[in-house]
Amino acid sequence: MNLARRIAFLTLVAATFAAFFVAQRLKNAPSVVQYVRFSGVLSPNSDGRKDTVRLNFLVKEADDVTVEVVDADGDLVRTLVEDLPRPAYRAFDDPLRWDGRDDDGEPVPDGRYRLRIVLQGQGRTIVPQRSVRVDRTPPAPRVTSISPDRVYGPELLPKPDGGPAVVRFGPALERARVMVFKTAPGRPRLVLERRLAPGTTSWSWTGELDGGRRASGGTYVAVLEWRDEAENIGTSIPLGRDGLPRVPANGRPWPGRGGITVRNLGVQGPSAPVRAGERAVFGIDARQARYSWRLRRVGSPTVYKRGSGTRAQFGVTVPADVASGVFLLEVRTRRHATATPFLVEDARPRPVLAVLPWTTWQGRNGADDDGDGLPDALDLGRPARTQRMVVGAGGLPAGFATHEAPVLAWLDRTGRRYDVTTDLALEHGVGPRLAGHRGVLLPGDTRWLTPRVRRDLRTFVRRGGALASFGTDSLLRTVRLRQGRRERLADPGPRGRADLFGARLRPVVRRPVDLEVSGQPDAVQLFAGTDGRFPGVPAWEETASLGPQLRHAASAVTVDPPGREVVVAARFGRGLVVRPGLPDLGVRLTPDPALQALVARTWTLLSR
């Protein structure tokens, strides 16, 4: 090695040692920015939990500082302070805060963010290692199944062996809980809440509520709630601001399989009339308990038959000598009772056909068909099976006890005989037809009808038939029948601006009012037998206009406010449409002579 190379080598060694000692000195020297506080998780979703993060630091030497927030690529996101004088070794008395937004006030994407501190006087920029993770994404718990795993439909309680429904899900996070909501019948409400230990993957429920009470019959949903490190709260189905389940738009189902149906006792009857003297078949779910049953006509105390059994399918032969009408099969176990209406027709033709709204009954039934816990009801835009047990205590369809039953019972007591069917039977072309009858009575709310039945009713009246609609909010909506292994009512339409005859109806007003016959001629003597007044009507539905195809025949109007048509008769083609517009007509019929006279005259118009 020559002299020059030796000198270069020794110079390099000396420089290395010098650099080492300088680095050690800088490493041991206090940082120009110290005690940086900017870490953790930020969840800026305005829920009051971890919506901002506090930051603080102190500088070794007094200087003017600019504090910025930068993203993982080092790009500027937010300037928090600019050229702010800071004394040496003094932290902020009021720490700076960052709310997870950029300089334009827009939320920043989820991810990690760091501080960038610019010391203006020293011309230095410091980016401490500490960072904040922005996380707005709530956890997504999901009920994967409720045992035993069912191919379709909700889990049923109580179980015959007394066992629980086992709700299964992924591992629970911190401060997790399970909530049970009753979603039908009635408005959704929270009925049970239980905390879950972290890591839990299942929870069992036998149907028992707080205080040892048993859950009443109805549709329920188990909802999971997780809370993550960022204090984001996620639930297995969406909840509203009121903490109650939120119904998805456009009839979509809830995610997961959280549905539980409590059915202490249920009965399902036929949707079409059964001939007198023939056998009516019912499905009975008594949870394998023994039950007793009896058969009687609606509104009559006479029991035609009675018996007991344990079978899930039960048949009874209808007495051959009964007249057409609506009957009840009443079933009772040791603790529970229920009933279901079914229709009986005899061989004698009658001028009036009473059409019961089976489509509306099932459309308003809060049963859960697919096991997501959301009632499959047409009001919610959901398809509904045409054959299923009614949820809830009593087992009767919504409105039956206050609408159809009292009207039909009054007709029976006063000796007015009629044929009977359902709108679903008309759709299927079974049972009595419209043809051959002079009048059609719709004794209750008929909210939904299939296009075929709507068309047939219009044709029936146009050609000279008479129709009386005793319900309210009726004949305004369509629904389609979807055939398949399980027949369904699907694609429910919205409330139309006019009913199938063209009349425009306003929503029911629940405010007492007096009615009187209008000054226009009563061309059909609709109010014959009355004094022309109906005092103290508690609720009413106004016919706002008849439309171009209806011609006024008779009406009774409100006194105050004046002149609003409620009880209306109108010509349609060669026929007649009568609409009382009184939602409480059924329950007020027996004690109110004026209503009795109105119904009696309506019956005469239907019969002739």
Side-chain angles (χ1 to χ4, degrees):
M1 180 181 296
N2 59 31
L3 180 60
R5 289 180 177 179
R6 288 181 179 179
I7 292 173
F9 175 75
L10 292 175
T11 300
L12 179 60
V13 171
T16 301
F17 274 96
F20 173 77
F21 285 111
V22 169
Q24 286 297 105
R25 182 179 178 185
L26 290 174
K27 183 176 179 179
N28 294 328
S31 173
V32 294
V33 176
Q34 302 175 12
Y35 300 107
V36 177
R37 298 290 181 266
F38 184 70
S39 61
V41 181
L42 175 63
S43 174
N45 53 14
S46 302
D47 63 356
R49 296 181 295 269
K50 295 192 176 184
D51 285 335
T52 62
V53 63
R54 297 192 299 177
L55 58 101
N56 213 333
F57 60 89
L58 54 83
V59 294
K60 180 181 177 182
E61 298 178 6
D63 207 333
D64 293 340
V65 301
T66 295
V67 182
E68 301 169 333
V69 179
V70 297
D71 60 19
D73 296 326
D75 296 329
L76 174 65
V77 171
R78 176 81 172 269
T79 300
L80 299 178
V81 295
E82 190 171 7
D83 296 336
L84 178 68
R86 294 302 303 161
Y89 291 107
R90 182 174 176 180
F92 289 86
D93 294 329
D94 184 13
L96 300 177
R97 294 175 182 270
W98 182 46
D99 59 3
R101 295 180 179 273
D102 61 20
D103 281 330
D104 295 326
E106 297 297 324
V108 301
D110 287 5
R112 286 202 171 271
Y113 295 82
R114 299 168 72 181
L115 285 182
R116 184 163 65 195
I117 303 171
V118 181
L119 304 176
Q120 303 289 4
Q122 302 176 53
R124 301 185 64 176
T125 298
I126 311 298
V127 181
Q129 290 300 311
R130 289 181 176 271
S131 65
V132 163
R133 179 167 59 89
V134 173
D135 180 7
R136 292 185 192 81
T137 305
R142 187 179 181 91
V143 176
T144 56
S145 67
I146 299 183
S147 69
D149 294 342
R150 298 174 65 88
V151 176
Y152 188 86
E155 178 63 335
L156 294 176
L157 287 177
K159 294 183 181 298
D161 61 2
V166 181
V167 183
R168 294 193 178 93
F169 40 83
L173 302 183
E174 298 290 333
R175 288 179 288 176
R177 61 175 176 164
V178 59
M179 298 169 285
V180 178
F181 294 89
K182 187 173 186 179
T183 57
R187 297 177 61 84
R189 58 270 194 202
L190 178 66
V191 299
L192 187 68
E193 177 184 352
R194 291 291 184 266
R195 294 290 175 182
L196 298 174
T200 302
T201 58
S202 65
W203 175 76
S204 298
W205 188 45
T206 61
E208 185 174 292
L209 305 178
D210 292 332
R213 297 176 297 115
R214 302 296 303 180
S216 59
T219 299
Y220 294 77
V221 63
V223 180
L224 305 173
E225 180 185 275
W226 293 174
R227 190 190 299 257
D228 64 15
E229 181 187 4
E231 295 291 332
N232 294 306
I233 296 177
T235 54
S236 55
I237 66 171
L239 303 183
R241 291 182 177 272
D242 56 2
L244 297 176
R246 190 169 66 239
V247 177
N250 302 323
R252 294 192 301 270
W254 277 332
R257 303 280 296 176
I260 300 174
T261 292
V262 175
R263 183 188 295 152
N264 299 299
L265 178 61
V267 181
Q268 178 182 318
S271 60
V274 177
R275 278 283 185 140
E278 296 184 357
R279 190 173 181 81
V281 179
F282 301 86
I284 298 182
D285 183 3
R287 305 280 80 197
Q288 297 184 12
R290 188 169 188 82
Y291 57 83
S292 61
W293 60 268
R294 65 178 189 176
L295 181 68
R296 67 179 180 88
R297 193 182 186 96
V298 166
S300 171
T302 302
V303 175
Y304 290 92
K305 288 189 174 183
R306 64 175 74 239
S308 62
T310 57
R311 297 178 61 181
Q313 190 176 70
F314 160 77
V316 58
T317 300
V318 179
D321 57 348
V322 298
S324 296
V326 179
F327 287 71
L328 289 176
L329 180 73
E330 299 174 329
V331 182
R332 182 180 297 273
T333 61
R334 188 165 60 90
R335 293 184 177 180
H336 303 283
T338 191
T340 190
F342 72 101
L343 283 58
V344 174
E345 60 166 321
D346 61 27
R348 290 162 289 184
R350 303 308 194 324
V352 178
L353 176 64
V355 180
L356 280 296
W358 187 274
T359 299
T360 299
W361 289 350
Q362 289 297 349
R364 299 179 66 189
N365 184 357
D368 172 20
D369 295 338
D370 55 9
D372 65 348
L374 180 64
D376 291 296
L378 297 181
D379 276 329
L380 302 180
R382 305 270 291 159
R385 290 185 189 175
T386 59
Q387 306 292 333
R388 53 187 183 165
M389 295 179 181
V390 175
V391 301
L396 295 176
F400 177 79
T402 55
H403 292 75
E404 294 90 355
V407 170
L408 297 175
W410 185 85
L411 294 177
D412 291 342
R413 287 197 306 271
T414 56
R416 292 171 168 86
R417 299 304 180 195
Y418 50 89
D419 289 335
V420 63
T421 190
T422 67
D423 54 357
L424 186 64
L426 288 177
E427 169 69 24
H428 287 154
V430 298
R433 310 295 206 271
L434 296 177
H437 294 90
R438 300 172 190 167
V440 168
L441 172 65
L442 307 179
D445 296 345
T446 308
R447 293 192 178 184
W448 293 275
L449 288 173
T450 62
R452 173 182 173 179
V453 174
R454 288 170 61 90
R455 182 182 64 249
D456 290 348
L457 288 175
R458 282 174 54 89
T459 301
F460 172 79
V461 176
R462 182 185 290 113
R463 291 177 177 175
L467 180 144
S469 175
F470 281 5
T472 53
D473 197 26
S474 295
L475 310 181
L476 295 164
R477 300 170 180 84
T478 61
V479 69
R480 297 190 180 277
L481 196 65
R482 185 182 297 168
Q483 301 289 348
R485 188 166 64 92
R486 295 182 177 92
E487 184 182 68
R488 297 176 184 277
L489 302 164
D491 305 321
R495 188 181 192 273
R497 299 181 63 185
D499 72 3
L500 64 88
F501 298 107
R504 297 192 176 216
L505 309 177
R506 290 205 168 99
V508 170
V509 177
R510 293 205 168 271
R511 179 170 60 83
V513 69
D514 294 337
L515 301 180
E516 63 181 8
V517 175
S518 69
Q520 300 185 63
D522 183 354
V524 293
Q525 298 298 299
L526 179 63
F527 303 106
T530 75
D531 62 0
R533 294 183 60 84
F534 301 88
V537 172
W540 42 284
E541 178 186 57
E542 178 187 356
T543 298
S545 68
L546 291 179
Q549 299 184 63
L550 289 166
R551 306 182 305 280
H552 182 276
S555 64
V557 300
T558 57
V559 175
D560 183 22
R564 299 188 179 179
E565 291 190 316
V566 177
V567 183
V568 175
R571 297 287 187 186
F572 182 81
R574 300 200 305 269
L576 180 71
V577 177
V578 180
R579 183 183 293 106
L582 303 174
D584 299 312
L585 183 147
V587 295
R588 298 182 66 240
L589 179 57
T590 297
D592 191 326
L595 287 182
Q596 292 181 35
L598 175 64
V599 173
R601 180 57 186 168
T602 301
W603 181 263
T604 299
L605 294 173
L606 296 177
S607 304
R608 67 185 187 183

